[in-house]
Amino acid sequence: MRDDHAPAAAGDPHPGAALAGDATAADVESLRKHSSVYVYEAPVRLWHWVNAAAILVLVATGWFIGSPPPSMQIAEATHQFVFGYIRFAHFAAGQVMAVGFLARIYWAFVGNHHARQLFVLPVWKAHWWREILFELRWYLFLEKEPKKYVGHNPLAQVAMFLFITVGLSFMILTGFALYAEGLGADSWLYHAFGWVLTLFGNSQIVHSAHHLGMWAIVIFMMIHIYVAIREDIMSRQSMVSTMISGHRSFKDDRPG
Amino acid sequence: MSQIETFYDVMRRQGITRRSFMKYCSLTAAALGLAPSYVPKIAHAMETKPRTPVIWVHGLECTCCSESFIRSAHPLAKDVVLSMISLDYDDTLMAAAGHQAEAALEETIEKYKGNYILAVEGNPPLNEDGMFCIVGGKPFVEQLRHAAKDAKAIISWGACASYGCVQAAKPNPTRATPVHKVITDKPIIKVPGCPPIAEVMTGVITYMLTFDRLPELDRQGRPAMFYGQRIHDKCYRRPHFDAGQFVEQWDDENARKGYCLYKMGCKGPTTYNACSTVRWNEGVSFPIQSGHGCIGCSEDGFWDQGSFYDRVTDLTQFGVEANADRVGMAAAGVVGAGVAAHAAISALKAAQRKTQSKNEDA
């Protein structure tokens, strides 16, 4: 069976087209013909932007849940629901994010192989580790020319795995556990997520952990946006537009 | 077992009328969340079953659980249950003292082997072989193990027995340890709180007598009927929470109006207890009603959750006083500065390279 995940081998009919990362022979062929590769399929792109919007809402409303806005006296408490709406927005966005994440996991099974990068780190591959080292050197200004990648570069893959795959799972677990508290101990959500509260021992600790998780995602967001823009300018391939059109185009035809 | 009086006998002996007895049964059924059809069952159990002997031992504690218990709103519960306990063993409440008291304990264990309930107030310290708490000349942990061996079930009264409370707060020099981590082979029911509500305590005992089994417990081993909801879920100030109307400072106008104490660090949203429904001192009030936030005294490790007056908990792991926001903002600040510096160097490098290639072209 053909291993379409391996970089093109030495005896390849197009030796010049050997690419780094997770490029397949099919990618190489596509690149030779079109000079761009279709990487992110529509569901992946849609998830990315829905997820980004949900996180923005979650961070803003989550901040206010920890530190409520100044008291407002619009009406009697019966007719005023300011803090209630903030919490509602948080819960709604959280559920959108959770459903989106589940859909994204589903797509990892049925989508193209790039869709699996978020969930599987190829730690058993030596070239993957070498490329991590290379990327570190590139960001430390020790390499003159970056490599070409069709999917994520390995360093980005590690960051996304830690902050999105692990990080979002953690936020979804703790978030639903906290939400289940409001629904009550006999709700199905409490049956499903109540163990998280028991694990931490005290709901206040879960609140703190959820709060720290928010900051971790904010920090990831800052780095992610900076690096996406920087690499769009300085790398040899498209970045920002790839998450809009799905196509990765390359700026030169020199090998990887 | 016929020589043992029933609860009803004791009640009648204490001059309680049949009518008051039935009222007690109805109130208890309501408190336990049972249907009215259970009232006769409770009455029947009280009338026919021999009193369940209770041994009440005290470890590291402040006796606030006992103080709460003897103030049970319904005088009947107090009289009945109290007389029941003092007849057997409770070293703070019983008339006997010294060797007599210890003899009473041994006698109760012998006589009711496998049938008595062991009520534990406080917890055993395990450091230095338990020498931080001596009862009758021996470490308390030995008395606890001895009394637990033949008990039918164990009730952990209060935050001390259930979770450790103040003596187990960091750094816990005496290694005060909750009961369920010392006794692992008996059914244990936790009734946390510092102290627990009196009606909750009598309610638990009444349930165990009536149905001859432990009440339904939640994941943490607390009776679900009293610890199934947070203070927050039934708080009468909840509409102000949803409206976003908070006390901003002690004694401000909002405090006088009785707004939500969330910003003042109220732990109601993270605390499971019945205070906002059963209330205290015969249903007179509870902390939030008196204008002070809940301190979360019935939660595991509540002394280690930072100040009672902070909404966002201080994280002592970082060595200095910092909460999630301060830690997060500092980290975000460092990363932001790093990003800016990296961007600047990147731009310089790119510019340098352009100049170089221009020179080469020329």
Side-chain angles (χ1 to χ4, degrees):
Chain A
M1 199 184 122
R2 191 172 56 108
D3 178 13
D4 61 8
H5 288 261
D12 196 274
H14 312 283
L19 294 186
D22 65 339
T24 63
D27 285 338
V28 173
E29 188 63 18
S30 164
L31 185 56
R32 204 170 60 79
K33 286 182 193 151
H34 307 293
S35 82
S36 87
V37 185
Y38 188 52
V39 185
Y40 301 127
E41 296 155 294
V44 173
R45 275 142 43 212
L46 183 69
W47 169 74
H48 175 273
W49 294 110
V50 168
N51 196 42
I55 287 175
L56 281 183
V57 174
L58 283 164
V59 168
T61 52
W63 168 264
F64 280 127
I65 289 172
S67 310
S71 297
M72 277 167 249
Q73 188 67 65
I74 303 162
E76 279 301 314
T78 321
H79 304 291
Q80 185 179 327
F81 205 59
V82 173
F83 203 53
Y85 287 132
I86 291 175
R87 293 173 66 247
F88 174 79
H90 191 79
F91 300 147
Q95 307 210 0
V96 166
M97 190 186 79
V99 170
F101 191 61
L102 286 179
R104 181 65 184 77
I105 291 173
Y106 168 74
W107 196 255
F109 288 102
V110 299
N112 66 17
H113 79 272
H114 300 290
R116 283 187 277 283
Q117 274 202 297
L118 195 56
F119 301 98
V120 185
L121 298 180
V123 289
W124 59 89
K125 285 186 179 165
H127 77 88
W128 187 77
W129 289 103
R130 275 199 304 278
E131 283 164 14
I132 286 192
L133 202 69
F134 180 89
E135 285 307 307
L136 280 172
R137 289 175 57 80
W138 161 245
Y139 283 113
L140 289 171
F141 310 104
L142 297 173
E143 294 288 345
K144 276 222 175 76
E145 179 155 77
K147 282 181 191 288
K148 284 158 120 178
Y149 294 98
V150 173
H152 298 300
N153 81 55
L155 194 62
Q157 197 188 351
V158 169
M160 283 172 206
F161 182 80
L162 286 182
F163 287 94
I164 298 299
T165 313
V166 178
L168 284 196
S169 303
F170 178 79
M171 294 306 271
I172 289 170
L173 279 180
T174 50
F176 271 93
L178 294 173
Y179 181 65
E181 287 198 288
L183 294 185
D186 45 5
S187 63
W188 71 269
L189 265 182
Y190 195 90
H191 287 294
F193 294 97
W195 60 271
V196 178
L197 296 161
T198 318
L199 190 72
F200 282 84
N202 180 330
S203 160
Q204 189 74 16
I205 302 174
V206 185
H207 279 82
S208 294
H210 194 70
H211 207 128
L212 283 172
M214 179 269 276
W215 280 108
I217 286 176
V218 166
I219 287 168
F220 169 77
M221 236 163 59
M222 292 166 63
I223 298 175
H224 176 66
I225 294 168
Y226 164 65
V227 168
I229 293 172
R230 178 184 192 268
E231 294 306 288
D232 199 69
I233 300 166
M234 298 187 65
S235 79
R236 293 156 67 194
Q237 66 231 18
S238 65
M239 280 283 157
V240 179
S241 63
T242 310
M243 201 34 98
I244 297 168
S245 70
H247 284 274
R248 176 90 71 210
S249 51
F250 293 87
K251 300 174 191 170
D252 60 61
D253 52 7
R254 281 174 287 117
Chain B
M1 300 283 269
S2 59
Q3 74 275 21
I4 307 171
E5 291 178 287
T6 64
F7 277 98
Y8 184 63
D9 292 335
V10 181
M11 286 184 179
R12 291 310 296 258
R13 187 154 49 72
Q14 301 224 343
I16 282 143
T17 61
R18 172 87 190 163
R19 186 181 167 78
S20 301
F21 167 72
M22 290 312 294
K23 268 190 188 166
Y24 165 78
C25 294
S26 318
L27 272 173
T28 307
L32 294 170
L34 300 171
S37 57
Y38 279 97
V39 176
K41 287 191 188 172
I42 292 175
H44 184 71
M46 290 288 213
E47 283 166 354
T48 53
K49 289 193 186 172
R51 289 182 299 108
T52 313
V54 175
I55 295 176
W56 189 309
V57 293
H58 299 255
L60 284 186
E61 46 96 343
C62 71
T63 318
C64 76
C65 299
S66 294
E67 290 287 344
S68 169
F69 191 61
I70 60 178
R71 276 159 188 75
S72 181
H74 211 282
L76 289 174
K78 179 185 74 183
D79 290 345
V80 171
V81 187
L82 184 56
S83 62
M84 169 186 80
I85 286 160
S86 59
L87 283 172
D88 297 316
Y89 181 84
D90 181 333
D91 50 20
T92 39
L93 293 175
M94 68 199 301
H99 290 297
Q100 278 181 323
E102 296 312 306
L105 171 67
E106 290 309 317
E107 200 191 311
T108 312
I109 293 176
E110 274 307 307
K111 201 168 157 193
Y112 304 108
K113 225 170 199 170
N115 280 317
Y116 61 86
I117 292 169
L118 177 66
V120 187
E121 186 177 349
N123 56 28
L126 299 185
N127 261 0
E128 309 286 346
D129 298 325
M131 299 301 270
F132 292 104
C133 183
I134 302 290
V135 177
K138 281 188 210 157
F140 170 65
V141 63
E142 288 181 20
Q143 187 193 38
L144 175 65
R145 287 207 176 101
H146 175 59
K149 197 160 73 69
D150 296 311
K152 186 160 75 175
I154 296 175
I155 303 178
S156 286
W157 283 146
C160 298
S162 302
Y163 300 126
C165 203
V166 66
Q167 61 272 40
K170 281 169 198 154
N172 190 3
T174 65
R175 231 181 107 212
T177 309
V179 172
H180 65 274
K181 290 188 180 160
V182 178
I183 310 295
T184 48
D185 57 348
K186 295 279 171 188
I188 294 181
I189 173 166
K190 290 180 196 158
V191 187
C194 192
I197 305 167
E199 285 71 20
V200 170
M201 300 172 83
T202 51
V204 168
I205 287 195
T206 309
Y207 185 98
M208 288 166 80
L209 176 84
T210 310
F211 299 104
D212 225 355
R213 58 178 153 87
L214 297 184
E216 187 203 338
L217 303 181
D218 68 2
R219 244 179 249 271
Q220 295 199 24
R222 305 171 292 196
M225 62 196 59
F226 297 114
Y227 295 89
Q229 280 189 313
R230 299 169 297 173
I231 306 293
H232 189 60
D233 294 320
K234 287 279 167 69
C235 182
Y236 79 105
R237 296 193 183 196
R238 180 63 187 261
H240 292 295
F241 171 84
D242 290 326
Q245 297 172 335
F246 303 102
V247 175
E248 303 282 345
Q249 268 181 328
W250 298 115
D251 272 355
D252 66 1
E253 187 54 30
N254 293 358
R256 277 187 281 277
K257 282 182 187 161
Y259 283 1
C260 174
L261 291 155
Y262 186 76
K263 278 189 180 179
M264 306 311 289
C266 178
K267 300 291 185 291
T270 55
T271 304
Y272 289 82
N273 209 333
C275 301
S276 50
T277 44
V278 177
R279 307 196 185 190
W280 289 80
N281 300 319
E282 305 189 30
V284 170
S285 181
F286 72 113
I288 293 167
Q289 195 173 344
S290 309
H292 189 286
C294 165
I295 63 171
C297 75
S298 55
E299 283 300 305
D300 193 359
F302 82 98
W303 290 101
D304 293 324
Q305 302 311 309
S307 165
F308 294 152
Y309 305 105
D310 287 335
R311 179 62 230 150
V312 182
T313 305
D314 273 344
L315 301 168
T316 47
Q317 289 86 342
F318 291 87
V320 286
E321 274 183 47
N323 62 25
D325 282 330
R326 265 168 272 165
V327 170
M329 266 190 237
V334 169
V335 169
V339 161
H342 200 271
I345 299 171
S346 301
L348 279 176
K349 280 268 178 187
Q352 196 182 16
R353 203 167 301 144
K354 251 179 217 159
T355 335
Q356 271 173 357
S357 58
K358 220 179 261 170
N359 291 347
E360 279 162 20
D361 290 344

